[in-house]
Amino acid sequence: MGELVAKKTGPRTWWKHGTVYQIYPASYKDSNGDGIGDIPGIISKLDYLQDLGIDIIWISPMYDSPQIDMGYDISNYEDIYRPYGTVADAERLIEECHKRSMKLVFDLVINHTSDQHAWFKESRSSKDNPKRDWYIWRPAKYALDGTRQPPNNWRAHFDGSAWEWDEGSQEYYLHLFCPEQPDLNWENSTTRQAIYDSSMKFWLDKGIDGFRVDTVNMYSKGTALPDAVVHDPEAPYQFDASLFCNGPRMHEFLSEMHTQVLSKYDCMTVGELPHTPRTADVIRYVSATSKELDMVFQFDLVDLGQGADYKFETRPYDLVDIKRILDRFQHLIVGTDAWSTVFMENHDQSRSVSRYTDDSPATRGACAKMLAVLSATLTGTLYLYQGQEIGMVNVSEDWTAKDYKDVEALNYLAHVRAKEKAANGGKTVPDEDSPAVKEALRGIQAVGRDNARIPMLWDDSPHGGFSSGAENPAAVAEPWMRAHDDYVTLNVKQQLADPDSVLHFWRKMLKLRKSEEWMDTFVYGSFEMEDVESDKERICFTKSSDGNGKGEEQKMVFVALNFTGKELGYEVPERVKGKKTSLLVGSLGVEEGVVDGRLRAWEGRIYEVL
């Protein structure tokens, strides 16, 4: 039995109990028929999001960009990527969200810029340029035979060296991601001020309500930049996140950002916090006393099954692994002044129905509803990703390398091909004949980022109704990326017409979660899980309110979830035995087939404990 989680979550705050919905702009809605999603398309769906029960919209990067990494390579923080729209369109989006009493959050990408940003163009122009020190430059090392080598052996996130040689200025620059994404030098105070002014104040002054902060723990890398420990003797470059995450000045930088910028606005921040396993280290970022960030994303749950060195080299896991993570996350802020997040999907992850349940057409609806029960009853700010509300699933297994767009996946395929070629004496093996490539594609289909980045499915017209608005409907372009094959039966229009759909169930759960009666229990309540270590088929737990600190009567619910395709029994916890219960929510309906003590396949239930 898990330990009872009694927490003091502080006063109600809009960014704590508000539901956040993430939009990937390229893939949400194309309003002009060019095959690429855009800001007017997002605006056209705001009423849909309001009806769903969304309070806060988070939009992945829309800034001007060469799109090497889908907008996470920014060439101008103060402009919009033209296929998405203009600054005027963004201003209208802010206005339209606020008209509907919804908040709008932008992505903040300030560990690096594009190599096409004006700052970097100046920095690389010469060693004595005033902006040279705005990025991280180092001289080459040389082997005994005179071969030029990078300053250290770090491997970038997307494979290859984390250093790129600049022929013009005869030095290397650091890039933790793509070579086209040079890392900014946060050690330079002038650089930091420029970042605050251009990427943050510019948009906060226009009225946005906060930021999701990309790679928030990578700004401080120290200045020594030592070699990584060699984990793979066959690889020339080694990946070691401890050398560039949570560095010596990280908290100093975030405290300065809060003092100089964030504290001046009524805004929220949520940071992307990878490679930070120790709870005490996480709390330092999100403690209200520290005044750094409001909350962070941790990735233990969504990283389950990914390979230790290369994520696509997947590994098995079971429900106990999931339960341990959920139990730990719900304990995270106990006895602190910190806050947490609840999420199962985002633009970098595959679909939760495919990852944790059964995504076959016959069962995926039930699975999506059961996961909705789980998500909507956990403590923390709830985040949904576009398409999650209709139970979108991973792409089909027949996708080939030509169908994928993500630079991470394509670089991994290149790595696999190169390794296989070397093992075959320099002979290239065609993909269709390569066991290594076929295995790589299985991993990409399972955990690849493109699963989340395919076009949103609006109706049963071609490509799921993603594109519209062209003067000549026959001239509508193909979407920038292949749509899901099941768009005829898996789409918003079909689910709007079906009162038993996943979409309607999510509406119900979000309304219940934020109701005056249940908000203190679901959003802010205490958590106690049953059989964390032994039960590999069910997740059962209670949630309890503390009366919001007002002396009101405590409320309790018991949640039971069946993570199998068969009927199962369950035991109520000792703290519930002897008390009356009333079925509050049944993911498969409450009229027929509901037997206390039994769960149907992939069913989730919430009982009020009276």
Side-chain angles (χ1 to χ4, degrees), residues 454-474:
I454 60 175
M456 179 68 180
L457 304 177
W458 294 106
D459 58 40
D460 59 0
S461 64
H463 314 298
F466 169 65
S467 294
S468 61
E471 293 185 9
N472 177 8

Side-chain angles (χ1 to χ4, degrees), residues 325-343:
I325 292 168
L326 292 175
D327 197 51
R328 187 169 71 250
F329 280 4
Q330 291 291 284
H331 281 76
L332 179 69
I333 59 177
V334 177
T336 76
D337 59 355
W339 189 243
S340 190
T341 57
V342 177
F343 75 103

Side-chain angles (χ1 to χ4, degrees), residues 24-27 36 60-62 65-73 81 84 181 347 405-407 449-450 453 480-481:
Y24 199 67
S27 300
I36 302 172
S60 292
M62 301 189 296
S65 166
Q67 299 292 314
I68 298 298
D69 186 24
M70 290 304 298
Y72 285 85
D73 50 317
Y81 179 54
Y84 295 163
Q181 294 170 290
H347 64 289
K405 304 289 187 183
D406 177 31
V407 64
R449 303 194 298 181
D450 279 337
R453 299 178 179 190
W480 72 279
M481 189 177 189

Side-chain angles (χ1 to χ4, degrees), residues 5 420 528:
V5 179
E420 185 174 57
E528 185 176 358

Side-chain angles (χ1 to χ4, degrees), residues 28 74 150 198 206 212 282-283 310 312 333 363 384 440 463 532 542 607:
Y28 198 59
I74 296 168
S198 186
K206 289 183 179 296
R212 175 266 185 184
V282 176
I283 295 298
Y310 290 96
F312 303 115
I333 59 177
T363 60
L384 295 185
H463 314 298
V532 175
T542 57
Y607 287 93

Side-chain angles (χ1 to χ4, degrees), residues 15 22 48 54 74 108 254 363-364 381 441-442 521 593 606:
W15 48 262
Q22 183 189 359
Y48 161 78
I54 300 304
I74 296 168
L108 184 63
L254 290 179
T363 60
R364 63 192 180 200
T381 300
L441 287 171
R442 279 191 286 271
T521 307
I606 307 172

